[in-house]
Amino acid sequence: MKTLSTLIGAAVLTSAFASTAYAASPDVYVVNFRNAKDVKSQQLDSQLQTAVAIAGVNAEEVVIDTTTAAKWEKGAHEAFDKDIVPVFNKWVGLPGFAAVVDAKTKRVIGCVNASFSANEMAEELRKMASRAQGNAYMSRASVGAKTTSCPAAHNVDPGL
């Protein structure tokens, strides 16, 4: 009986750690570049969390908020903690979109913005997360003006 209790306890403990490890290791970071005064940021904020929930992907939102100096600094620390400082540096100060970053390689997969509905955004997040996991997906050609291309770099070294 003691052995059975030990085995059950070990299984419960292992599954608890496994689920914690999964949640702690996202497939993608959804880096929300925002500013509370920006209309596009407000629109994106109202849809992004819903889109992530609908997509059902293993994603973690990282907020880079330039509304105040304190929020800017908090975003910089979070970018450092996630090892995505180059992504932070490229677009900090340009609000109204979210970059989707492969959590393992730190490569930007694509971007979404407020022109997408929550459902459209969820579909794009699913595709991008599949790419981060190394899975193929079927893509439909689009004739709309919506794109998952990221904006041009906002912060460029003037010496280059």
Side-chain angles (χ1 to χ4, degrees), residues 66-87:
T66 57
T67 305
T68 66
K71 289 181 178 183
W72 183 306
E73 185 175 351
K74 182 182 183 292
H77 284 284
E78 193 165 357
F80 179 81
D81 292 344
K82 306 294 184 212
D83 194 23
I84 56 171
V85 173
V87 175

Side-chain angles (χ1 to χ4, degrees), residues 43-52 113-118 121:
Q43 293 169 339
L44 182 66
D45 286 348
S46 71
Q47 302 174 106
L48 191 57
Q49 289 181 346
T50 302
V52 171
N113 57 48
S115 69
F116 290 90
S117 71
M121 204 178 297

Side-chain angles (χ1 to χ4, degrees), residues 5-61:
S5 297
T6 303
L7 287 174
I8 292 172
V12 169
L13 189 60
T14 301
S15 68
F17 280 122
S19 65
T20 302
Y22 181 74
S25 300
D27 294 323
V28 292
Y29 295 118
V30 180
V31 185
N32 182 0
F33 289 91
R34 71 170 316 279
N35 186 304
K37 298 171 186 160
D38 181 69
V39 174
K40 291 178 183 176
S41 289
Q42 294 167 6
Q43 293 169 339
L44 182 66
D45 286 348
S46 71
Q47 302 174 106
L48 191 57
Q49 289 181 346
T50 302
V52 171
I54 292 170
V57 296
N58 186 19
E60 181 178 336
E61 185 179 6

